[in-house]
Amino acid sequence: MPRTLVKDALNATAPNDAILLQGWVRTRRDAKAFSFIELNDGSSLKGLQIIVDASLPDYVHVTRANTGASVEVHGKLVESKGGGQKWEVVATKFTVLGEADATYPLQKKGHTLEFLREIAHLRPRSNLFGAVFRVRSRLAYAVHQFFQERGFHYVHTPIITASDAEGAGNMFRVTTLDPANPPKTPDGAVDCAQDFFGKKTFLTVSGQLEGEIFATALSSIYTFGPTFRAENSHTSRHAAEFWMIEPEVAFCDLNGDMDLAEAFVKHLIRDAKEHCAADLEFFSKFVDKELLARLDFVLDKPFVRCSYTEAVEILTKSGKTWEHPISWGANLQAEHERYLTEEHFKCPVTVYNYPRAIKAFYMRKNDGEAPDRQTVAAMDLLVPGIGEIIGGSQREERLDLLKEGMALHHLDEKAYWWYLDLRRYGSVPHAGFGLGFERMLMFVTGVANIRDVIPFARTPGTAEF
RNA sequence: UGCCUGGUAGCUCAGUGGUAGAGCAGGUGACUGUUAAUCACUUGGUCGUAGGUUCGAUCCCUACCCGGGCAGCCA
């Protein structure tokens, strides 16, 4: 007999005389003549109520079906006599597949997120994490759907890379050399030429530069994969390993890039609302009361677009005192970004055209500006509660200006020979951005800590599981 | 990395310079078409680690370890 998922049983339109369910016991309530078992198989937030009558021969096994045990139930799907659920299953055959004794850590009560992180191998069986990871799965699908429907091609950029100065933070070294006894060059330095790849290699901090290669061939591409930053960041929104989505579009300028970013974020929110409604209701009830209202609000209105120069004026005229003083040329700090999106505009804000000096070498220089007010066509999308969720730019497609940018950032042209070739041969205007998948999940679920939207979080000092 | 904050029963927490309590979980019993069921009884802790002050430290001091928050870095 084929297995029926709890989700499908709950959505049944008619009773069913013979049904098979498999899953884990969430809670059991014993009555004199029968027991109630709430069965969950991860297919939905809500479980299915199982009735095991004491007259059933298998009833002797019910006492072993404690919270956490895995069970198999053959039975009849019938309309429930009790309140609280439409359908329930009256068991005809009841089997405990795997017991869970009193040491099972998940209890029928609220646990702290900190405790659940310590049992990351069991927390997917909780309501909250079941919901988080169902949404994560759905949104990963929605990412591909959004881009595939728009003619983008999915590119697998390398995870191991030799590009070591992309300006996106510290990198993890990848090496097979013996750390205790590495080969040395005559002058005493570690001889990286003898390493596995014959040179220094790292885990990628971004697939953007390789993405540009494919955008200047396939026109519109996106990457979606793991990214690594060896920053010693102790915050609720940084992880050493996270997933990033990086579209790159040829024949596209900054406005097109901002349009794409806005459409993408809205698509993901709309998709979650449509396909994960019960899970989002759960978050709205137990994690963040404002969640659903905020998501609706974000969908309804166009995002505000505000140039860096305007943003600095707003911040200067706000009358607020800043921990980090703000003036033209300084980077926007978290407190500034939070003010813009949470207090001043009260909606998602795209800040664009940042000072050239504080942005990456590959960003396109804007023309016709005073020498002390030069900007690049960069943009950051800020959302309430999280801050920066997207960072992107139009890329510098003019060879001479790209070389100038590299000189400003003290980069060696030789290391980027292939990147410069893209400007030597058939260069086109192009633009792209990076969206932190976990930050998007935090925004959609209301979950406040990045460690709780990653199955197994890697943060400084922590790599359990 | 800097600053702040916490570490007491399996979990969530209270508490006091004289070596500790509650709720939940577990156990036993009762009761019930129950919904994190309910009621009664009950098991359970060298109070993060190592020093120091003191007649005496879980409590005060120092260091360290671990968790969390904020800032910087960014996605």
Short mmCIF file of all heavy atoms in Angstrom, two decimals, chain B residues 30-51:
data_model
loop_
_atom_site.label_atom_id
_atom_site.label_comp_id
_atom_site.label_asym_id
_atom_site.label_seq_id
_atom_site.Cartn_x
_atom_site.Cartn_y
_atom_site.Cartn_z
P A B 30 -5.04 3.43 38.56
OP1 A B 30 -5.97 2.33 38.91
OP2 A B 30 -4.38 3.46 37.23
"O5'" A B 30 -5.81 4.82 38.75
"C5'" A B 30 -6.64 5.01 39.89
"C4'" A B 30 -7.18 6.43 39.90
"O4'" A B 30 -6.08 7.37 39.78
"C3'" A B 30 -8.09 6.80 38.74
"O3'" A B 30 -9.42 6.35 38.93
"C2'" A B 30 -7.99 8.33 38.75
"O2'" A B 30 -8.80 8.88 39.77
"C1'" A B 30 -6.52 8.54 39.11
N9 A B 30 -5.68 8.75 37.92
C8 A B 30 -4.85 7.87 37.28
N7 A B 30 -4.24 8.37 36.24
C5 A B 30 -4.70 9.68 36.18
C6 A B 30 -4.44 10.75 35.29
N6 A B 30 -3.60 10.65 34.27
N1 A B 30 -5.08 11.91 35.52
C2 A B 30 -5.92 12.01 36.55
N3 A B 30 -6.25 11.08 37.45
C4 A B 30 -5.60 9.92 37.21
P C B 31 -10.30 5.93 37.66
OP1 C B 31 -11.59 5.43 38.18
OP2 C B 31 -9.47 5.08 36.79
"O5'" C B 31 -10.58 7.31 36.90
"C5'" C B 31 -11.38 8.32 37.51
"C4'" C B 31 -11.29 9.59 36.72
"O4'" C B 31 -9.91 10.06 36.71
"C3'" C B 31 -11.62 9.46 35.24
"O3'" C B 31 -13.02 9.48 35.00
"C2'" C B 31 -10.92 10.67 34.66
"O2'" C B 31 -11.62 11.87 34.92
"C1'" C B 31 -9.62 10.68 35.47
N1 C B 31 -8.54 9.91 34.81
C2 C B 31 -7.80 10.54 33.81
O2 C B 31 -8.07 11.71 33.52
N3 C B 31 -6.81 9.85 33.19
C4 C B 31 -6.56 8.59 33.54
N4 C B 31 -5.58 7.96 32.91
C5 C B 31 -7.31 7.92 34.55
C6 C B 31 -8.28 8.61 35.16
P U B 32 -13.56 8.74 33.68
OP1 U B 32 -15.02 8.65 33.82
OP2 U B 32 -12.76 7.52 33.44
"O5'" U B 32 -13.23 9.77 32.51
"C5'" U B 32 -13.85 11.06 32.50
"C4'" U B 32 -13.15 11.93 31.49
"O4'" U B 32 -11.75 12.07 31.84
"C3'" U B 32 -13.10 11.38 30.06
"O3'" U B 32 -14.30 11.60 29.36
"C2'" U B 32 -11.95 12.19 29.48
"O2'" U B 32 -12.33 13.51 29.20
"C1'" U B 32 -10.98 12.20 30.66
N1 U B 32 -10.02 11.08 30.58
C2 U B 32 -8.87 11.29 29.86
O2 U B 32 -8.63 12.34 29.29
N3 U B 32 -8.02 10.22 29.79
C4 U B 32 -8.21 8.99 30.38
O4 U B 32 -7.34 8.12 30.23
C5 U B 32 -9.42 8.84 31.12
C6 U B 32 -10.27 9.87 31.19
P G B 33 -14.56 10.82 28.00
OP1 G B 33 -15.97 10.92 27.61
OP2 G B 33 -13.90 9.49 28.08
"O5'" G B 33 -13.71 11.74 27.04
"C5'" G B 33 -13.48 11.34 25.70
"C4'" G B 33 -12.85 12.49 24.96
"O4'" G B 33 -12.37 12.01 23.71
"C3'" G B 33 -13.82 13.62 24.64
"O3'" G B 33 -13.07 14.81 24.35
"C2'" G B 33 -14.42 13.14 23.34
"O2'" G B 33 -14.92 14.17 22.51
"C1'" G B 33 -13.17 12.53 22.65
N9 G B 33 -13.46 11.43 21.75
C8 G B 33 -14.20 10.30 21.97
N7 G B 33 -14.24 9.51 20.93
C5 G B 33 -13.48 10.16 19.97
C6 G B 33 -13.17 9.80 18.65
O6 G B 33 -13.50 8.77 18.05
N1 G B 33 -12.39 10.74 18.02
C2 G B 33 -11.96 11.90 18.61
N2 G B 33 -11.22 12.71 17.86
N3 G B 33 -12.24 12.26 19.85
C4 G B 33 -13.01 11.35 20.46
P U B 34 -13.00 16.04 25.41
OP1 U B 34 -13.60 15.63 26.69
OP2 U B 34 -13.45 17.27 24.72
"O5'" U B 34 -11.43 16.17 25.61
"C5'" U B 34 -10.79 15.48 26.66
"C4'" U B 34 -9.38 15.16 26.25
"O4'" U B 34 -9.40 14.18 25.19
"C3'" U B 34 -8.60 16.33 25.66
"O3'" U B 34 -8.08 17.15 26.68
"C2'" U B 34 -7.53 15.61 24.87
"O2'" U B 34 -6.49 15.16 25.69
"C1'" U B 34 -8.29 14.40 24.35
N1 U B 34 -8.77 14.55 22.97
C2 U B 34 -7.86 14.39 21.94
O2 U B 34 -6.69 14.14 22.15
N3 U B 34 -8.37 14.52 20.69
C4 U B 34 -9.66 14.78 20.34
O4 U B 34 -9.98 14.86 19.16
C5 U B 34 -10.56 14.95 21.45
C6 U B 34 -10.09 14.83 22.70
P U B 35 -7.58 18.66 26.27
OP1 U B 35 -7.17 19.32 27.52
OP2 U B 35 -8.60 19.30 25.38
"O5'" U B 35 -6.31 18.36 25.40
"C5'" U B 35 -5.33 19.36 25.19
"C4'" U B 35 -4.75 19.22 23.81
"O4'" U B 35 -5.54 18.35 22.98
"C3'" U B 35 -4.65 20.56 23.08
"O3'" U B 35 -3.37 20.67 22.49
"C2'" U B 35 -5.73 20.46 22.03
"O2'" U B 35 -5.45 21.18 20.88
"C1'" U B 35 -5.76 18.95 21.74
N1 U B 35 -7.07 18.56 21.20
C2 U B 35 -7.12 18.11 19.89
O2 U B 35 -6.13 17.99 19.19
N3 U B 35 -8.39 17.82 19.45
C4 U B 35 -9.56 17.92 20.16
O4 U B 35 -10.61 17.63 19.63
C5 U B 35 -9.40 18.40 21.51
C6 U B 35 -8.18 18.70 21.97
P A B 36 -2.72 22.14 22.43
OP1 A B 36 -3.31 23.06 23.40
OP2 A B 36 -2.73 22.49 21.00
"O5'" A B 36 -1.21 21.86 22.85
"C5'" A B 36 -0.52 20.75 22.32
"C4'" A B 36 0.50 20.27 23.32
"O4'" A B 36 1.49 21.32 23.53
"C3'" A B 36 -0.10 19.96 24.69
"O3'" A B 36 0.52 18.81 25.24
"C2'" A B 36 0.27 21.17 25.54
"O2'" A B 36 0.48 20.87 26.90
"C1'" A B 36 1.61 21.57 24.91
N9 A B 36 1.91 22.98 25.09
C8 A B 36 1.08 24.05 25.07
N7 A B 36 1.67 25.20 25.27
C5 A B 36 2.99 24.86 25.46
C6 A B 36 4.12 25.61 25.72
N6 A B 36 4.11 26.92 25.85
N1 A B 36 5.29 24.96 25.86
C2 A B 36 5.31 23.63 25.72
N3 A B 36 4.30 22.79 25.46
C4 A B 36 3.16 23.49 25.35
P A B 37 -0.36 17.53 25.32
OP1 A B 37 0.31 16.54 26.17
OP2 A B 37 -0.69 17.23 23.94
"O5'" A B 37 -1.70 18.03 26.03
"C5'" A B 37 -1.76 18.06 27.43
"C4'" A B 37 -3.11 18.53 27.84
"O4'" A B 37 -4.10 17.54 27.44
"C3'" A B 37 -3.31 18.67 29.34
"O3'" A B 37 -2.83 19.91 29.81
"C2'" A B 37 -4.83 18.55 29.46
"O2'" A B 37 -5.48 19.74 29.05
"C1'" A B 37 -5.11 17.46 28.42
N9 A B 37 -5.07 16.12 29.02
C8 A B 37 -4.11 15.15 28.86
N7 A B 37 -4.35 14.06 29.54
C5 A B 37 -5.54 14.33 30.18
C6 A B 37 -6.34 13.58 31.07
N6 A B 37 -6.05 12.34 31.45
N1 A B 37 -7.46 14.16 31.54
C2 A B 37 -7.76 15.39 31.15
N3 A B 37 -7.10 16.20 30.32
C4 A B 37 -5.99 15.60 29.88
P U B 38 -2.13 19.99 31.25
OP1 U B 38 -1.74 21.40 31.48
OP2 U B 38 -1.11 18.92 31.31
"O5'" U B 38 -3.28 19.61 32.27
"C5'" U B 38 -4.42 20.44 32.41
"C4'" U B 38 -5.41 19.79 33.34
"O4'" U B 38 -5.86 18.54 32.77
"C3'" U B 38 -4.84 19.39 34.71
"O3'" U B 38 -4.81 20.49 35.61
"C2'" U B 38 -5.83 18.31 35.15
"O2'" U B 38 -7.03 18.87 35.62
"C1'" U B 38 -6.12 17.60 33.82
N1 U B 38 -5.24 16.42 33.61
C2 U B 38 -5.58 15.25 34.27
O2 U B 38 -6.56 15.16 35.00
N3 U B 38 -4.75 14.18 34.04
C4 U B 38 -3.64 14.17 33.23
O4 U B 38 -2.99 13.14 33.12
C5 U B 38 -3.34 15.43 32.59
C6 U B 38 -4.13 16.48 32.80
P C B 39 -3.66 20.56 36.73
OP1 C B 39 -3.74 21.90 37.35
OP2 C B 39 -2.39 20.12 36.13
"O5'" C B 39 -4.12 19.47 37.79
"C5'" C B 39 -5.33 19.65 38.52
"C4'" C B 39 -5.59 18.45 39.39
"O4'" C B 39 -5.86 17.29 38.55
"C3'" C B 39 -4.41 17.99 40.24
"O3'" C B 39 -4.26 18.77 41.42
"C2'" C B 39 -4.81 16.55 40.54
"O2'" C B 39 -5.81 16.48 41.53
"C1'" C B 39 -5.40 16.12 39.20
N1 C B 39 -4.38 15.47 38.34
C2 C B 39 -4.13 14.11 38.54
O2 C B 39 -4.75 13.51 39.43
N3 C B 39 -3.20 13.48 37.77
C4 C B 39 -2.56 14.15 36.84
N4 C B 39 -1.67 13.49 36.11
C5 C B 39 -2.80 15.54 36.61
C6 C B 39 -3.71 16.15 37.37
P A B 40 -2.80 18.94 42.10
OP1 A B 40 -2.89 19.98 43.14
OP2 A B 40 -1.80 19.06 41.02
"O5'" A B 40 -2.58 17.52 42.80
"C5'" A B 40 -3.41 17.12 43.90
"C4'" A B 40 -3.05 15.73 44.33
"O4'" A B 40 -3.36 14.80 43.26
"C3'" A B 40 -1.58 15.49 44.61
"O3'" A B 40 -1.18 15.94 45.89
"C2'" A B 40 -1.48 13.97 44.46
"O2'" A B 40 -1.99 13.31 45.60
"C1'" A B 40 -2.42 13.74 43.27
N9 A B 40 -1.69 13.74 41.99
C8 A B 40 -1.54 14.77 41.09
N7 A B 40 -0.83 14.44 40.04
C5 A B 40 -0.47 13.12 40.26
C6 A B 40 0.28 12.20 39.52
N6 A B 40 0.85 12.48 38.35
N1 A B 40 0.45 10.96 40.03
C2 A B 40 -0.11 10.67 41.20
N3 A B 40 -0.86 11.44 42.00
C4 A B 40 -1.00 12.67 41.47
P C B 41 0.31 16.52 46.14
OP1 C B 41 0.35 17.10 47.51
OP2 C B 41 0.68 17.34 44.97
"O5'" C B 41 1.20 15.20 46.12
"C5'" C B 41 1.07 14.22 47.16
"C4'" C B 41 1.72 12.93 46.76
"O4'" C B 41 1.15 12.48 45.50
"C3'" C B 41 3.22 13.01 46.45
"O3'" C B 41 4.02 13.01 47.63
"C2'" C B 41 3.41 11.75 45.62
"O2'" C B 41 3.41 10.58 46.43
"C1'" C B 41 2.14 11.76 44.76
N1 C B 41 2.38 12.44 43.47
C2 C B 41 3.04 11.72 42.46
O2 C B 41 3.37 10.54 42.68
N3 C B 41 3.29 12.32 41.28
C4 C B 41 2.92 13.58 41.08
N4 C B 41 3.19 14.13 39.90
C5 C B 41 2.26 14.34 42.10
C6 C B 41 2.01 13.73 43.27
P U B 42 5.43 13.81 47.59
OP1 U B 42 6.05 13.67 48.93
OP2 U B 42 5.23 15.14 47.00
"O5'" U B 42 6.28 12.95 46.56
"C5'" U B 42 6.63 11.60 46.85
"C4'" U B 42 7.32 10.96 45.69
"O4'" U B 42 6.47 11.05 44.52
"C3'" U B 42 8.62 11.63 45.24
"O3'" U B 42 9.72 11.21 46.03
"C2'" U B 42 8.74 11.16 43.80
"O2'" U B 42 9.22 9.83 43.72
"C1'" U B 42 7.26 11.17 43.35
N1 U B 42 6.90 12.43 42.66
C2 U B 42 7.29 12.56 41.33
O2 U B 42 7.92 11.71 40.75
N3 U B 42 6.91 13.74 40.74
C4 U B 42 6.20 14.77 41.32
O4 U B 42 5.93 15.77 40.65
C5 U B 42 5.84 14.56 42.68
C6 U B 42 6.19 13.42 43.29
P U B 43 11.05 12.11 46.12
OP1 U B 43 11.76 11.77 47.36
OP2 U B 43 10.69 13.52 45.83
"O5'" U B 43 11.89 11.55 44.89
"C5'" U B 43 12.22 10.16 44.81
"C4'" U B 43 12.87 9.86 43.48
"O4'" U B 43 11.93 10.15 42.41
"C3'" U B 43 14.09 10.72 43.15
"O3'" U B 43 15.27 10.23 43.76
"C2'" U B 43 14.14 10.60 41.63
"O2'" U B 43 14.70 9.37 41.22
"C1'" U B 43 12.65 10.60 41.27
N1 U B 43 12.17 11.96 40.93
C2 U B 43 12.54 12.46 39.69
O2 U B 43 13.23 11.84 38.91
N3 U B 43 12.07 13.73 39.41
C4 U B 43 11.30 14.52 40.22
O4 U B 43 10.96 15.63 39.83
C5 U B 43 10.96 13.92 41.48
C6 U B 43 11.40 12.69 41.79
P G B 44 16.34 11.26 44.39
OP1 G B 44 17.49 10.48 44.90
OP2 G B 44 15.59 12.14 45.32
"O5'" G B 44 16.82 12.12 43.15
"C5'" G B 44 17.57 11.50 42.11
"C4'" G B 44 17.60 12.40 40.90
"O4'" G B 44 16.25 12.81 40.58
"C3'" G B 44 18.36 13.70 41.09
"O3'" G B 44 19.74 13.52 40.82
"C2'" G B 44 17.71 14.62 40.05
"O2'" G B 44 18.26 14.41 38.77
"C1'" G B 44 16.26 14.12 40.05
N9 G B 44 15.36 14.95 40.85
C8 G B 44 14.99 14.76 42.16
N7 G B 44 14.15 15.67 42.60
C5 G B 44 13.96 16.51 41.51
C6 G B 44 13.16 17.67 41.36
O6 G B 44 12.43 18.20 42.21
N1 G B 44 13.26 18.20 40.09
C2 G B 44 14.03 17.69 39.07
N2 G B 44 14.00 18.34 37.92
N3 G B 44 14.78 16.60 39.18
C4 G B 44 14.69 16.07 40.42
P G B 45 20.86 13.93 41.91
OP1 G B 45 22.05 13.10 41.67
OP2 G B 45 20.23 13.98 43.24
"O5'" G B 45 21.22 15.43 41.51
"C5'" G B 45 21.59 15.75 40.15
"C4'" G B 45 22.00 17.20 40.08
"O4'" G B 45 20.91 18.01 40.56
"C3'" G B 45 23.20 17.56 40.95
"O3'" G B 45 24.39 17.43 40.20
"C2'" G B 45 22.95 19.02 41.33
"O2'" G B 45 23.57 19.89 40.41
"C1'" G B 45 21.43 19.16 41.18
N9 G B 45 20.69 19.39 42.42
C8 G B 45 20.72 18.72 43.60
N7 G B 45 19.87 19.19 44.49
C5 G B 45 19.26 20.25 43.84
C6 G B 45 18.27 21.15 44.28
O6 G B 45 17.69 21.20 45.36
N1 G B 45 17.94 22.07 43.29
C2 G B 45 18.51 22.11 42.04
N2 G B 45 18.06 23.07 41.23
N3 G B 45 19.43 21.28 41.62
C4 G B 45 19.75 20.39 42.56
P U B 46 25.48 16.34 40.60
OP1 U B 46 26.45 16.03 39.54
OP2 U B 46 24.66 15.28 41.17
"O5'" U B 46 26.26 17.05 41.77
"C5'" U B 46 26.82 18.33 41.55
"C4'" U B 46 27.56 18.72 42.80
"O4'" U B 46 28.46 17.66 43.17
"C3'" U B 46 28.41 19.95 42.62
"O3'" U B 46 27.63 21.12 42.88
"C2'" U B 46 29.53 19.73 43.63
"O2'" U B 46 29.15 20.10 44.93
"C1'" U B 46 29.71 18.20 43.57
N1 U B 46 30.72 17.79 42.57
C2 U B 46 31.81 17.07 43.04
O2 U B 46 31.95 16.80 44.21
N3 U B 46 32.70 16.70 42.07
C4 U B 46 32.63 16.96 40.71
O4 U B 46 33.51 16.55 39.97
C5 U B 46 31.47 17.70 40.31
C6 U B 46 30.58 18.08 41.23
P C B 47 28.27 22.56 42.81
OP1 C B 47 29.53 22.57 42.07
OP2 C B 47 28.24 23.01 44.20
"O5'" C B 47 27.21 23.43 42.01
"C5'" C B 47 26.98 23.22 40.63
"C4'" C B 47 26.16 24.36 40.09
"O4'" C B 47 25.00 24.54 40.95
"C3'" C B 47 26.90 25.70 40.04
"O3'" C B 47 26.54 26.37 38.84
"C2'" C B 47 26.38 26.43 41.26
"O2'" C B 47 26.32 27.83 41.09
"C1'" C B 47 24.95 25.89 41.38
N1 C B 47 24.42 25.90 42.76
C2 C B 47 23.38 26.79 43.08
O2 C B 47 22.94 27.54 42.19
N3 C B 47 22.89 26.81 44.33
C4 C B 47 23.38 26.00 45.25
N4 C B 47 22.85 26.04 46.47
C5 C B 47 24.44 25.08 44.97
C6 C B 47 24.92 25.07 43.72
P G B 48 27.56 27.44 38.13
OP1 G B 48 28.44 28.11 39.12
OP2 G B 48 26.60 28.24 37.36
"O5'" G B 48 28.53 26.66 37.14
"C5'" G B 48 28.06 25.52 36.41
"C4'" G B 48 29.09 25.17 35.35
"O4'" G B 48 29.13 26.25 34.37
"C3'" G B 48 30.52 25.06 35.87
"O3'" G B 48 30.79 23.78 36.37
"C2'" G B 48 31.34 25.37 34.61
"O2'" G B 48 31.43 24.24 33.77
"C1'" G B 48 30.46 26.44 33.93
N9 G B 48 30.87 27.80 34.26
C8 G B 48 30.11 28.76 34.87
N7 G B 48 30.73 29.91 35.02
C5 G B 48 31.98 29.69 34.45
C6 G B 48 33.08 30.56 34.31
O6 G B 48 33.18 31.74 34.68
N1 G B 48 34.15 29.94 33.69
C2 G B 48 34.16 28.63 33.26
N2 G B 48 35.28 28.21 32.69
N3 G B 48 33.13 27.80 33.38
C4 G B 48 32.08 28.39 33.98
P U B 49 31.72 23.61 37.68
OP1 U B 49 31.57 22.21 38.14
OP2 U B 49 31.43 24.72 38.62
"O5'" U B 49 33.19 23.81 37.12
"C5'" U B 49 33.73 22.91 36.16
"C4'" U B 49 35.10 23.39 35.72
"O4'" U B 49 34.95 24.61 34.97
"C3'" U B 49 36.04 23.76 36.85
"O3'" U B 49 36.68 22.63 37.42
"C2'" U B 49 37.01 24.69 36.15
"O2'" U B 49 37.95 23.98 35.37
"C1'" U B 49 36.08 25.45 35.22
N1 U B 49 35.59 26.72 35.82
C2 U B 49 36.44 27.80 35.78
O2 U B 49 37.55 27.75 35.29
N3 U B 49 35.95 28.96 36.33
C4 U B 49 34.71 29.12 36.92
O4 U B 49 34.41 30.23 37.38
C5 U B 49 33.89 27.95 36.94
C6 U B 49 34.35 26.81 36.40
P A B 50 37.14 22.67 38.96
OP1 A B 50 37.65 21.32 39.29
OP2 A B 50 36.04 23.28 39.76
"O5'" A B 50 38.35 23.70 38.93
"C5'" A B 50 39.52 23.38 38.20
"C4'" A B 50 40.50 24.53 38.26
"O4'" A B 50 39.97 25.67 37.52
"C3'" A B 50 40.75 25.09 39.66
"O3'" A B 50 41.66 24.30 40.39
"C2'" A B 50 41.29 26.49 39.33
"O2'" A B 50 42.64 26.44 38.91
"C1'" A B 50 40.41 26.87 38.15
N9 A B 50 39.23 27.65 38.57
C8 A B 50 37.97 27.21 38.88
N7 A B 50 37.14 28.15 39.23
C5 A B 50 37.91 29.30 39.14
C6 A B 50 37.60 30.66 39.39
N6 A B 50 36.42 31.10 39.78
N1 A B 50 38.59 31.57 39.21
C2 A B 50 39.80 31.13 38.83
N3 A B 50 40.20 29.88 38.57
C4 A B 50 39.20 29.01 38.74
P G B 51 41.84 24.56 41.97
OP1 G B 51 42.58 23.42 42.52
OP2 G B 51 40.53 24.96 42.58
"O5'" G B 51 42.80 25.83 41.99
"C5'" G B 51 42.76 26.71 43.08
"C4'" G B 51 43.32 28.05 42.69
"O4'" G B 51 42.58 28.58 41.55
"C3'" G B 51 43.18 29.11 43.76
"O3'" G B 51 44.23 29.04 44.71
"C2'" G B 51 43.14 30.40 42.96
"O2'" G B 51 44.44 30.77 42.53
"C1'" G B 51 42.30 29.95 41.75
N9 G B 51 40.87 30.10 42.02
C8 G B 51 39.95 29.09 42.14
N7 G B 51 38.74 29.51 42.38
C5 G B 51 38.87 30.90 42.43
C6 G B 51 37.91 31.90 42.67
O6 G B 51 36.69 31.76 42.90
N1 G B 51 38.47 33.17 42.65
C2 G B 51 39.79 33.44 42.41
N2 G B 51 40.13 34.72 42.43
N3 G B 51 40.71 32.52 42.19
C4 G B 51 40.18 31.27 42.21
#
